[in-house]
Amino acid sequence: MSAVHHEPEASLKMGLPLSNGKLAMWLFLVTEIMFFTGLIGAYIVLRQSTPDKTISLGNAVAHVHWPAPHDVHLVELAGAINTFVLICSSLSVVLAHHALGQKQVQKAVRWIGLTLALGIVFMGIKAWEYKAKFEHGILPGRIGDHLENSDIGFQYKDRVRAQLKALVETPETAHLKKDSDVYKAAESLYKALDGVDAKPAENIKGVPPLNPLEVGQRVNEILKAHPTEHLGLPPYIPYGNMWASCYFAMTGFHAIHVLVGLIIFGIILLKAMAGTFGPQHESFVELTGLYWHFVDLVWIFLFPLLYLV
């Protein structure tokens, strides 16, 4: 009697064809995509829903539109450099993962170090941009906006009056000299707020006070003529508060994500210095790279929306 030969049954493996870590990272990135889609979508809706129009108040006429990059001190070149920097950092983290897969640990560490350096450059340029916003008063709730509205307009005029009074009475706090052109312009506007101009020929009682829109336009003229002076005067930018809220929300959350990536790259370098980093961390570097690619992709959407369109 011949023996019956039984083939061993193939073992069944249930689950997705990827590791648990990669699955978790992709699920996390899906939530991040929804988060930034909400921010970017809200920005697009708000921008498209703001009409271009012409408003007048007294003798002042203003053409109202969504702020252009130069209106809010955005430098297109700085945004383009940051875009290039992040794209290069995506390449360097890919090369780090490839080198680690080839068991070239020192080469991988060098690529990780370059990625960290590029991320720091990005954050440095972004900090420089934020500094310009703070110096020019382009912050949510600090910008002159909707000055045709009587309540908002006169609140803006009161803020300008308080700042001008401080500049005129204590110019040394803003490093101004009383014989400087910027001081004379601030003093002239301060006196003109309530109907008296600083020029003797025009120092006539009964001159009507400036309305809020005229104040905003005069403030913009002073700020444009003296861009290097830190006067603390709130600029007049139609839709400026809405723009600033969107800008700081989108770029702020993006910067936080960049910072998280930099911390992870820093931890990798610390492990390399301690001699505990090696080919066994290939999956960890791959997952970190996925996160970093997502951060770069978000910026590729933010750059044209904020700097170019």
Side-chain angles (χ1 to χ4, degrees), residues 75 78 123-133:
V75 181
M123 292 295 285
I125 294 175
K126 184 52 63 180
W128 173 76
E129 288 187 320
Y130 273 25
K131 181 174 180 289
K133 302 295 176 293

Side-chain angles (χ1 to χ4, degrees), residues 22-35 257 287 289-295:
K22 188 176 291 187
L23 175 61
M25 177 56 72
W26 278 114
L27 290 175
F28 169 72
L29 292 181
V30 167
T31 65
E32 292 292 282
I33 290 170
M34 291 189 290
F35 174 74
H257 284 71
L287 298 180
L290 284 175
Y291 171 81
W292 193 249
H293 295 327
F294 167 76
V295 172

Side-chain angles (χ1 to χ4, degrees), residues 14-291:
M14 305 298 293
L16 296 174
L18 71 165
S19 65
N20 292 338
K22 188 176 291 187
L23 175 61
M25 177 56 72
W26 278 114
L27 290 175
F28 169 72
L29 292 181
V30 167
T31 65
E32 292 292 282
I33 290 170
M34 291 189 290
F35 174 74
F36 278 102
T37 299
L39 287 178
I40 295 173
Y43 172 78
I44 294 174
V45 169
L46 289 172
R47 175 169 182 161
Q48 293 301 112
S49 63
T50 52
D52 294 346
K53 60 183 180 179
T54 300
I55 61 173
S56 61
L57 190 63
N59 297 323
V61 178
H63 301 287
V64 176
H65 55 81
W66 187 262
H70 65 270
D71 294 330
V72 287
H73 295 275
L74 274 185
V75 181
E76 291 89 342
L77 180 60
I81 292 174
N82 259 354
T83 304
F84 178 75
V85 165
L86 282 187
I87 291 174
C88 290
S89 70
S90 274
L91 173 62
S92 61
V93 77
V94 168
L95 294 174
H97 175 246
H98 175 74
L100 199 60
Q102 299 295 318
K103 302 188 186 307
Q104 299 174 342
V105 178
Q106 291 303 317
K107 189 175 181 180
V109 170
R110 287 194 294 270
W111 285 120
I112 291 293
L114 177 60
T115 306
L116 177 64
L118 291 171
I120 292 173
V121 170
F122 176 89
M123 292 295 285
I125 294 175
K126 184 52 63 180
W128 173 76
E129 288 187 320
Y130 273 25
K131 181 174 180 289
K133 302 295 176 293
F134 279 88
E135 288 178 348
H136 292 92
I138 302 177
L139 300 169
R142 297 281 301 277
I143 301 172
D145 192 3
H146 296 293
L147 299 186
E148 69 277 11
N149 181 295
S150 59
D151 292 336
I152 297 175
F154 282 102
Q155 289 175 10
Y156 171 79
K157 185 175 179 179
D158 289 340
R159 282 193 288 131
V160 172
R161 179 186 286 108
Q163 185 62 29
L164 286 173
K165 182 179 180 181
L167 290 174
V168 171
E169 295 181 352
T170 56
E172 61 277 1
T173 58
H175 306 287
L176 299 181
K177 296 181 179 180
K178 289 190 175 182
D179 58 349
S180 64
D181 291 338
V182 61
Y183 177 84
K184 293 177 182 178
E187 184 182 38
S188 174
L189 178 56
Y190 179 59
K191 292 182 177 180
L193 287 178
D194 298 314
V196 178
D197 194 275
K199 297 180 181 179
E202 299 175 3
N203 190 5
I204 304 173
K205 292 184 178 180
V207 175
L210 298 178
N211 62 52
L213 187 56
E214 291 172 325
V215 173
Q217 292 176 337
R218 289 278 296 267
V219 167
N220 283 358
E221 291 173 2
I222 294 175
L223 294 177
K224 184 178 180 180
H226 308 279
T228 59
E229 300 289 348
H230 305 318
L231 304 177
L233 293 172
Y236 167 55
I237 305 174
Y239 306 120
N241 290 310
M242 190 181 299
W243 180 91
S245 298
C246 294
Y247 172 81
F248 282 104
M250 292 190 295
T251 62
F253 278 112
H254 178 263
I256 292 173
H257 284 71
V258 173
L259 181 60
V260 170
L262 296 183
I263 292 173
I264 296 173
F265 292 132
I267 292 173
I268 292 175
L269 293 181
L270 290 176
K271 291 177 71 68
M273 292 173 61
T276 59
F277 180 72
Q280 70 274 16
H281 294 98
E282 181 182 356
S283 177
F284 178 71
V285 173
E286 181 184 14
L287 298 180
T288 303
L290 284 175
Y291 171 81

